[in-house]
Structures are given as C-alpha cells and as structure tokens.
Amino acid sequence: MLQVIPLSAELQKIANEELGEVPHRISEDLMVLKDWIALQPYLRARTDDQFLIQFLRGCKYSLEKAKNKIDKFYALKSKCPELFSVTNVDECSIRRFHNLGSVISLPIPLNDCGPRIYICRCTFDPRDFYVGDGLRYVTALNEIAMMSDPYTCICGTLYIMDFANSTTAHLMVLTPNIVRNLIQFFEKTIPVRIKAICIINLTPYAHKFCNMMLQYAPEKLKNRIHLCGTDLTELEEYLPRKYLPVEYGGENGSLEQLCKDYNKVWDEYREYFKENAQYGTDERLRVGKKIELDGDLGINGSFRKLDVD
C-alpha cells in the first residue's frame, strides 16, 4: 500500500493540474525510482514513499529530473555536511538557534490552501553561531516539510525575510560562496517550489547588499524576490495581512508560541535525522560522468567593504 500523506480534494486538484500528478500511476513511478536507486553503487538514499514522491512532485513527474535531483541532493549533503546535513536534532547549536525564533513556519498557508509561509528574522548574534548552523537548520526544516506538510509539498513556500534587526555582522557572514551554495541547494536539490521571497525592513546598507546578492540568483528566482521596504502595506501586494503572525498585526499565530511548540516536532523527527547519517554518496564508486556542482563548495570567501552612499 502507498505510504504517502493523503491530500485534500483541493490539494489533489492542484497537484493534478500544476504538477502533472496522475494518482493511479504514482506506485509505478515510485518503483522506477526505487529500482534506479538500488542499481547505483555510489548512492545510499532513502526509499520512503513520502520522501520519493516529493522529488516526483518537485520535478513535475519527470523521472529523469527526479533522479538527477535525488543524486544532487545527496551529493551536496555529502560534499558539504557542515552546511546541509543534520543528523542530531539535539545538537546544542540546532536547539539554541531554533529557540531564538529566527525561522518559523506559520500554521495557516497563504489563502488557506496555498504556499506555506515562513518568517525569517535576524534574532541571533552572528558571533555566537557558525554560519553553517543556520543553513543546516533551514535545510532540515525543509526536509521535515517534505515529509509532513502537504501545503509545502504541493504549493511550495513563501518566505518573509525581516531585516529590521540586521547588522553589518549578519550580512557579512553571507559570503559569495555561502550564497552560491544555498541557491544551488534550493534550486538543484530541494524538490520544493519557492513561490516568493518578500524582504522587508531593509536599511540602505541591507538594500544595497540584497541587490548585490541577486547577481548570484537565477533569473527565475530573481523574478520571485520582492524588496518591500519598511511599509508593511507594500507586503500586502503579495499576501493579505491576516496571514502574518500577531506580532506583525496578523492572525496567523504567535511567533513565540509557535517556536516553543515546534520543539515537539524536532523531538518527533529525532530518529529520522539519526537515520540520515547512513545516507549520501561515495563519489569513488561513481561510474562515468561525475556529478556537476557549480563553483567551489565550502564556506570560504569574503566580501570587500561595501560603500554605501
């Protein structure tokens, strides 16, 4: 029996129309992926139905694209575990970062049956955290959503990035290499559609910084990034205010309580992430063309001083 989260009639309609899902063919497509994984000597990958179906959905049921994405998902995790791999949710850095409420998923999706909304804030001191801690945390959140959240799986995500408390130190940890790697991970490996990124409360310095970062983004993603300034009415062009949390004048939960409650989710996925330690790629066993990952992977690199008018 197929082990996937059942969809509501409304979500199933979206999956059929936007992703090309044909429910009676899902089992057959999943078996193709499982057989392919079993034949790759270098690849150790999950074969859970819920995990694999998201790669099919994220690739609009192109089996070849799904295979490529699974391959790169594990290749990049194996190449850069310090940026993209969590195997212990009880790590001090993970729980400390979480409890600061820097990235929080809101309970009601956009328009009640649309993309999952995330609020991202600069609530942490960059001197207290290694840059990889935040990236690993965000990629782990996405993996939980792939396994548990039908709205993320079918409709994608909308990120609200609040720069109100950002400092120069927050911005300068995002080196060109980090930005390239993060974009690469989301674009080439995570099978979840980013529908929009709305950036609010930008200082002149942060505004210039964001414009500079956009040069590393593919054109498709650039078109989904919206710089909304300090007036929240600009944000309402992309989502009604009621879908914001109460701290922003909305009705979509309290950030403080949502942060506390989500610790239970980390607890529920403790064993799942422990199991992730056994998955990845061994590039020494790969036959034929090596996987192509753009640029120099790692956390090195720096910015020269930004001149702000």
Side-chain angles (χ1 to χ4, degrees), residues 57-69:
R57 287 169 170 166
C59 297
K60 296 187 177 181
Y61 280 82
S62 165
L63 284 164
E64 291 310 308
K65 287 182 180 179
K67 292 174 187 177
N68 187 261
K69 206 149 199 155

PDB file of all heavy atoms in Angstrom, residues 57-69:
ATOM      1  N   ARG A  57       6.998  15.119  -7.436  1.00  0.00           N
ATOM      2  CA  ARG A  57       6.172  16.329  -7.483  1.00  0.00           C
ATOM      3  C   ARG A  57       7.013  17.562  -7.779  1.00  0.00           C
ATOM      4  O   ARG A  57       6.616  18.421  -8.569  1.00  0.00           O
ATOM      5  CB  ARG A  57       5.435  16.486  -6.148  1.00  0.00           C
ATOM      6  CG  ARG A  57       4.298  15.492  -5.963  1.00  0.00           C
ATOM      7  CD  ARG A  57       3.757  15.483  -4.548  1.00  0.00           C
ATOM      8  NE  ARG A  57       2.525  14.701  -4.446  1.00  0.00           N
ATOM      9  CZ  ARG A  57       1.981  14.308  -3.313  1.00  0.00           C
ATOM     10  NH1 ARG A  57       2.565  14.606  -2.147  1.00  0.00           N
ATOM     11  NH2 ARG A  57       0.854  13.610  -3.308  1.00  0.00           N
ATOM     12  N   GLY A  58       8.173  17.653  -7.137  1.00  0.00           N
ATOM     13  CA  GLY A  58       9.033  18.812  -7.344  1.00  0.00           C
ATOM     14  C   GLY A  58       9.584  18.894  -8.754  1.00  0.00           C
ATOM     15  O   GLY A  58       9.994  19.970  -9.205  1.00  0.00           O
ATOM     16  N   CYS A  59       9.607  17.773  -9.463  1.00  0.00           N
ATOM     17  CA  CYS A  59      10.093  17.732 -10.851  1.00  0.00           C
ATOM     18  C   CYS A  59       8.953  17.532 -11.839  1.00  0.00           C
ATOM     19  O   CYS A  59       9.180  17.150 -12.996  1.00  0.00           O
ATOM     20  CB  CYS A  59      11.121  16.616 -11.005  1.00  0.00           C
ATOM     21  SG  CYS A  59      12.598  16.868 -10.004  1.00  0.00           S
ATOM     22  N   LYS A  60       7.727  17.774 -11.385  1.00  0.00           N
ATOM     23  CA  LYS A  60       6.528  17.646 -12.222  1.00  0.00           C
ATOM     24  C   LYS A  60       6.493  16.309 -12.963  1.00  0.00           C
ATOM     25  O   LYS A  60       6.156  16.224 -14.126  1.00  0.00           O
ATOM     26  CB  LYS A  60       6.431  18.834 -13.180  1.00  0.00           C
ATOM     27  CG  LYS A  60       6.254  20.157 -12.443  1.00  0.00           C
ATOM     28  CD  LYS A  60       5.987  21.310 -13.384  1.00  0.00           C
ATOM     29  CE  LYS A  60       5.736  22.586 -12.579  1.00  0.00           C
ATOM     30  NZ  LYS A  60       5.450  23.749 -13.449  1.00  0.00           N
ATOM     31  N   TYR A  61       6.864  15.285 -12.212  1.00  0.00           N
ATOM     32  CA  TYR A  61       6.767  13.891 -12.656  1.00  0.00           C
ATOM     33  C   TYR A  61       7.672  13.553 -13.845  1.00  0.00           C
ATOM     34  O   TYR A  61       7.414  12.597 -14.563  1.00  0.00           O
ATOM     35  CB  TYR A  61       5.310  13.490 -12.894  1.00  0.00           C
ATOM     36  CG  TYR A  61       4.654  13.175 -11.570  1.00  0.00           C
ATOM     37  CD1 TYR A  61       4.154  14.199 -10.771  1.00  0.00           C
ATOM     38  CD2 TYR A  61       4.616  11.881 -11.079  1.00  0.00           C
ATOM     39  CE1 TYR A  61       3.611  13.936  -9.517  1.00  0.00           C
ATOM     40  CE2 TYR A  61       4.074  11.603  -9.831  1.00  0.00           C
ATOM     41  CZ  TYR A  61       3.578  12.627  -9.058  1.00  0.00           C
ATOM     42  OH  TYR A  61       3.055  12.368  -7.812  1.00  0.00           O
ATOM     43  N   SER A  62       8.755  14.307 -13.993  1.00  0.00           N
ATOM     44  CA  SER A  62       9.812  13.883 -14.916  1.00  0.00           C
ATOM     45  C   SER A  62      10.727  12.943 -14.151  1.00  0.00           C
ATOM     46  O   SER A  62      11.426  13.365 -13.217  1.00  0.00           O
ATOM     47  CB  SER A  62      10.606  15.083 -15.420  1.00  0.00           C
ATOM     48  OG  SER A  62      11.819  14.651 -16.027  1.00  0.00           O
ATOM     49  N   LEU A  63      10.723  11.673 -14.513  1.00  0.00           N
ATOM     50  CA  LEU A  63      11.539  10.688 -13.789  1.00  0.00           C
ATOM     51  C   LEU A  63      13.021  11.009 -13.892  1.00  0.00           C
ATOM     52  O   LEU A  63      13.765  10.858 -12.914  1.00  0.00           O
ATOM     53  CB  LEU A  63      11.250   9.290 -14.323  1.00  0.00           C
ATOM     54  CG  LEU A  63       9.922   8.678 -13.859  1.00  0.00           C
ATOM     55  CD1 LEU A  63       9.550   7.481 -14.730  1.00  0.00           C
ATOM     56  CD2 LEU A  63      10.001   8.269 -12.396  1.00  0.00           C
ATOM     57  N   GLU A  64      13.492  11.466 -15.049  1.00  0.00           N
ATOM     58  CA  GLU A  64      14.908  11.761 -15.213  1.00  0.00           C
ATOM     59  C   GLU A  64      15.323  12.952 -14.360  1.00  0.00           C
ATOM     60  O   GLU A  64      16.393  12.948 -13.754  1.00  0.00           O
ATOM     61  CB  GLU A  64      15.247  11.998 -16.692  1.00  0.00           C
ATOM     62  CG  GLU A  64      15.144  10.750 -17.543  1.00  0.00           C
ATOM     63  CD  GLU A  64      15.909   9.565 -16.938  1.00  0.00           C
ATOM     64  OE1 GLU A  64      17.101   9.729 -16.623  1.00  0.00           O
ATOM     65  OE2 GLU A  64      15.303   8.494 -16.773  1.00  0.00           O
ATOM     66  N   LYS A  65      14.476  13.971 -14.315  1.00  0.00           N
ATOM     67  CA  LYS A  65      14.784  15.127 -13.469  1.00  0.00           C
ATOM     68  C   LYS A  65      14.766  14.735 -11.996  1.00  0.00           C
ATOM     69  O   LYS A  65      15.585  15.215 -11.196  1.00  0.00           O
ATOM     70  CB  LYS A  65      13.784  16.256 -13.733  1.00  0.00           C
ATOM     71  CG  LYS A  65      14.001  16.960 -15.061  1.00  0.00           C
ATOM     72  CD  LYS A  65      13.006  18.098 -15.245  1.00  0.00           C
ATOM     73  CE  LYS A  65      13.227  18.805 -16.574  1.00  0.00           C
ATOM     74  NZ  LYS A  65      12.238  19.910 -16.781  1.00  0.00           N
ATOM     75  N   ALA A  66      13.827  13.875 -11.615  1.00  0.00           N
ATOM     76  CA  ALA A  66      13.756  13.427 -10.223  1.00  0.00           C
ATOM     77  C   ALA A  66      15.007  12.648  -9.835  1.00  0.00           C
ATOM     78  O   ALA A  66      15.570  12.840  -8.748  1.00  0.00           O
ATOM     79  CB  ALA A  66      12.509  12.573 -10.011  1.00  0.00           C
ATOM     80  N   LYS A  67      15.471  11.762 -10.704  1.00  0.00           N
ATOM     81  CA  LYS A  67      16.706  11.018 -10.442  1.00  0.00           C
ATOM     82  C   LYS A  67      17.882  11.973 -10.257  1.00  0.00           C
ATOM     83  O   LYS A  67      18.698  11.821  -9.343  1.00  0.00           O
ATOM     84  CB  LYS A  67      17.001  10.063 -11.599  1.00  0.00           C
ATOM     85  CG  LYS A  67      16.032   8.901 -11.739  1.00  0.00           C
ATOM     86  CD  LYS A  67      16.360   8.113 -13.009  1.00  0.00           C
ATOM     87  CE  LYS A  67      15.334   7.040 -13.304  1.00  0.00           C
ATOM     88  NZ  LYS A  67      15.623   6.327 -14.571  1.00  0.00           N
ATOM     89  N   ASN A  68      17.976  12.957 -11.154  1.00  0.00           N
ATOM     90  CA  ASN A  68      19.074  13.923 -11.089  1.00  0.00           C
ATOM     91  C   ASN A  68      19.037  14.719  -9.804  1.00  0.00           C
ATOM     92  O   ASN A  68      20.073  14.989  -9.186  1.00  0.00           O
ATOM     93  CB  ASN A  68      18.990  14.847 -12.309  1.00  0.00           C
ATOM     94  CG  ASN A  68      20.192  15.766 -12.423  1.00  0.00           C
ATOM     95  OD1 ASN A  68      20.134  16.926 -12.029  1.00  0.00           O
ATOM     96  ND2 ASN A  68      21.276  15.248 -12.970  1.00  0.00           N
ATOM     97  N   LYS A  69      17.832  15.075  -9.363  1.00  0.00           N
ATOM     98  CA  LYS A  69      17.688  15.882  -8.152  1.00  0.00           C
ATOM     99  C   LYS A  69      18.029  15.065  -6.907  1.00  0.00           C
ATOM    100  O   LYS A  69      18.670  15.565  -5.983  1.00  0.00           O
ATOM    101  CB  LYS A  69      16.278  16.450  -8.058  1.00  0.00           C
ATOM    102  CG  LYS A  69      16.187  17.734  -7.265  1.00  0.00           C
ATOM    103  CD  LYS A  69      15.067  18.607  -7.796  1.00  0.00           C
ATOM    104  CE  LYS A  69      15.270  20.040  -7.340  1.00  0.00           C
ATOM    105  NZ  LYS A  69      14.649  21.028  -8.195  1.00  0.00           N
TER     106      LYS A  69
END
